[in-house]
Amino acid sequence: MSTTNDKIIEEIKKYINDSFYDYAVMIDGEWGSGKTYFVKNELMKEVEDHIKNKNDEDSVKKIIYLSLYGMKSIDDISKQMVCEAYLKSLNDAEHIAKTAIKVSKILLPTVIDVINNKLGTNIDKDKISEGICDFASLKNTLLIFDDLERCDCPINEVLGYINSFVEQDHLKVIIVANQNELGKNFYSKNLELKYLVAANPIIKINEKIENEKRLKELGLSIDNKSQECKDFNIDNIEHRANKLFGQDLIYKKIKEKLIGNTFYYEPDLKYIFDKIIDKSEMDINLKIYLKAQCNEFISFMKLNGHCNIRTFQFFLSKINGLYEAIRKNVSDDGKGSLEIFIKHIIKYTFRICVLYRIGKLEYDWTIYGECDYRHYKSESILAYKFVDDYVMKSYIREDVINSMYKYHLMNIIAMQDITKLSYSCKEMSEKSINDQIGNINDNIEKDIYKFDQYESIISLFLTLEEMGFSRDLLDDLTAIMKEKIKKKGRTEHEFVKFNRFRNKETILRYNQIMDELQDEVCKLNNESHYDILKNILSYDNWSERISSYAENYIQRIVEKGEFLSIIDIEYLSEKLSAAEPKDVSDVRRAINEIYSNGNLNKEYPLLIELKNKILEKGNKSYDIVKKYQINSLVKDIEEITELKETNENTENTL
């Protein structure tokens, strides 16, 4: 359950005042959700105001914030804390008073180490009595430990260390973390060696007690024999490795002892975005444009499951650079055209930044040129190559910005003319309409319109036909559109129908023309099907391409009836032999996508040939995970081909 900013602040104030027993509190939240921003910019300020007027001896008097990001040992954390305590003392006092305030027992060795290194002395920590100087004192301190999950120390050692401040020094402690990621930094170190140990059958992992307890709670009995793992696969190897090296169980016990309250932080994105924009040094007009689109930004983030503050900050850095480049290279006509262009670039850049950060942005401008319409879920938006270049490569191509602005302007004006003609054609003179028709034909010849706009143009011309204008106008226009599609080359565009007509003849003609345009696209794609598969193994990311092609173009593959018959089987088996486990997994995914439903059964002999070549090469040199994937691929092929034989036998019997 999430907690609002105000509620967390209120609860932290209560915690600071609480003297019933010693415990820490945790603020939990996803990466990039703004936890650190909230703690530094709101929580700490509110707490500082709260403790200003407290005069009792044991109350919190100061705050020390410490990020654990990249800390490799407890000693590293202690040294960093000494530095933070010292800097805090410089800020809070006019001078460093040597008043013999007792230093925390945990920090004492580190304090002496720092002094010895700084002054060249050789102080023995065993001979220190009451204390050194108050720059290392943690008395009356609220400690905030951030980025717990990014610490490179074993998570349980860190929590044990933090617990000593709570129990021994009776300090107030706030831990900021993403609990879903706790311990993964340490667990991922030497992971291949941990898997190797976990795969050793000599090592017995007794889960009897744990499983009996779970089953007892469910009212079920347990078969002890079933507890033994006879076959290893990636799932039970990971499970065994987690049992041997994971820290979940111990973490839960320490957390239960240390953490008194946990607050799940869910950000108010609109509030945070506005604050970040206000604090930036961007142009005031850009700030206005950005704030106007904040709700749209948030909706797109939620749609993609990525409500991440750092991604928004990444976007701001990119859009600021693009904004400055646009203002530098484009002259404002004073009619609002530049503002329209900038607002569109803001909208498109944000989408690209989000998709890039979540790994879903494909860069393939060899097909699209400098600009084209792109489809994201249910949305279509005019995309620009120079934006993608800057987001992905941090290179602004200033030479194309002005021409893209002019193109955008022409595109908008052209579509405005079509829209205006659609609404006003029944009230205009024949001459005016013919003039507009001439302009539309010219704009199509100049590639002003994109394929997405063809449907609106076709609908307009059909309306004119119903009014009595010649059918030849639309026939000629359709021929030009087909030629434009052919020149474009392979494209994944889909012509979506929005039938606006009631007349049956008009509806039939509309559907016929739209289908003819879609057929032109399909012809191009089918013609390139052979070349795509013939060359697919030559790419570095060959396995990803195979998997993606099978997933996105399954209908085309089935209609064409060819897949493995185009690919070099011998070369594919060699690639699999030298491949990583993920590559084999990609091929498995493609094989199952294409063949598992009885599709392309004429190619089943090729599947068997591929299986035999894989078996000929053997798997003795493969690691455990690769061996698992290769064996699974062989098994997948056997199941597919055996199913075909079973079906054929059934048909013969019948």
Side-chain angles (χ1 to χ4, degrees), residues 79-247:
K79 287 179 179 178
Q80 184 63 32
M81 193 176 299
V82 169
C83 294
E84 295 293 339
Y86 175 63
L87 292 172
K88 190 68 179 176
S89 295
L90 290 179
N91 291 331
D92 293 346
E94 295 180 0
H95 64 281
I96 301 174
K98 296 182 180 180
T99 54
I101 295 177
K102 191 173 183 180
V103 176
S104 168
K105 292 178 182 178
I106 306 98
L107 291 185
L108 183 57
T110 303
V111 173
I112 295 169
D113 182 42
V114 171
I115 293 174
N116 285 339
N117 289 334
K118 186 73 175 176
L119 303 179
T121 57
N122 189 25
I123 300 173
D124 185 350
K125 66 176 181 294
D126 294 329
K127 296 181 180 179
I128 296 294
S129 55
E130 285 300 309
I132 314 163
C133 59
D134 74 337
F135 78 80
S137 172
L138 295 179
K139 184 178 174 62
N140 306 114
T141 301
L142 168 65
L143 297 178
I144 302 177
F145 294 95
D146 198 356
D147 300 311
L148 177 62
E149 73 282 1
R150 288 187 166 99
C151 184
D152 287 337
C153 307
I155 189 67
N156 303 312
E157 287 185 19
V158 180
L159 289 179
Y161 173 76
I162 294 173
N163 185 58
S164 61
F165 289 112
V166 175
E167 288 197 343
Q168 296 179 27
D169 296 315
H170 310 290
L171 299 180
K172 298 293 183 180
V173 174
I174 300 173
I175 300 171
V176 185
N178 178 359
Q179 286 198 93
N180 292 331
E181 300 296 325
L182 281 176
K184 291 185 179 180
N185 261 20
F186 182 76
Y187 176 73
S188 62
K189 289 183 177 180
N190 302 316
L191 192 57
E192 65 282 358
L193 296 178
K194 291 173 180 175
Y195 280 172
L196 191 61
V197 172
N200 189 338
I202 297 175
I203 300 174
K204 303 294 183 183
I205 300 177
N206 186 6
E207 297 180 334
K208 178 181 176 184
I209 297 174
E210 179 184 343
N211 288 341
E212 280 184 344
K213 181 180 178 182
R214 290 178 183 173
L215 290 171
K216 189 175 181 180
E217 290 173 354
L218 295 171
L220 302 172
S221 60
I222 185 166
D223 179 7
N224 291 332
K225 293 181 180 179
S226 67
Q227 296 304 304
E228 298 177 6
C229 181
K230 297 178 181 179
D231 298 315
F232 285 117
N233 57 45
I234 189 62
D235 292 330
N236 61 43
I237 287 175
E238 284 183 352
H239 178 70
R240 284 167 61 85
N242 191 52
K243 284 291 178 182
L244 290 170
F245 302 103
Q247 304 173 73

Side-chain angles (χ1 to χ4, degrees), residues 339-353:
E339 180 179 334
I340 292 172
F341 181 62
I342 289 172
K343 287 180 177 178
H344 178 83
I345 294 300
I346 289 171
K347 179 178 179 178
Y348 175 66
T349 303
F350 184 80
R351 279 149 180 73
I352 290 301
C353 286

Side-chain angles (χ1 to χ4, degrees), residues 349-360:
T349 303
F350 184 80
R351 279 149 180 73
I352 290 301
C353 286
V354 171
L355 295 172
Y356 176 63
R357 297 283 281 197
I358 63 178
K360 291 185 178 179

Side-chain angles (χ1 to χ4, degrees), residues 247-258:
Q247 304 173 73
D248 291 349
L249 197 58
I250 304 173
Y251 163 69
K252 289 175 183 176
K253 290 180 180 178
I254 296 179
K255 181 195 171 187
E256 185 179 347
K257 177 183 179 184
L258 173 62

Side-chain angles (χ1 to χ4, degrees), residues 373 407 409-426 428 432-433 435-445 447-464 467 474 477 481 500-501:
Y373 276 87
Y407 174 83
L409 193 59
M410 285 191 297
N411 193 275
I412 291 171
I413 292 173
M415 283 310 297
Q416 286 176 343
D417 289 342
I418 290 172
T419 303
K420 183 178 178 181
L421 183 57
S422 297
Y423 282 103
S424 306
C425 61
K426 295 179 181 178
M428 295 171 64
S432 296
I433 291 174
D435 288 343
Q436 290 291 339
I437 290 172
N439 291 335
I440 291 171
N441 286 329
D442 289 343
N443 286 335
I444 288 182
E445 289 283 7
D447 281 334
I448 298 299
Y449 304 119
K450 293 299 178 182
F451 294 163
D452 292 71
Q453 298 162 331
Y454 282 9
E455 192 278 337
S456 297
I457 298 170
I458 290 167
S459 294
L460 168 62
F461 274 63
L462 283 171
T463 300
L464 295 176
M467 291 171 59
L474 183 52
L477 191 69
M481 289 177 172
R500 303 168 176 82
F501 304 101

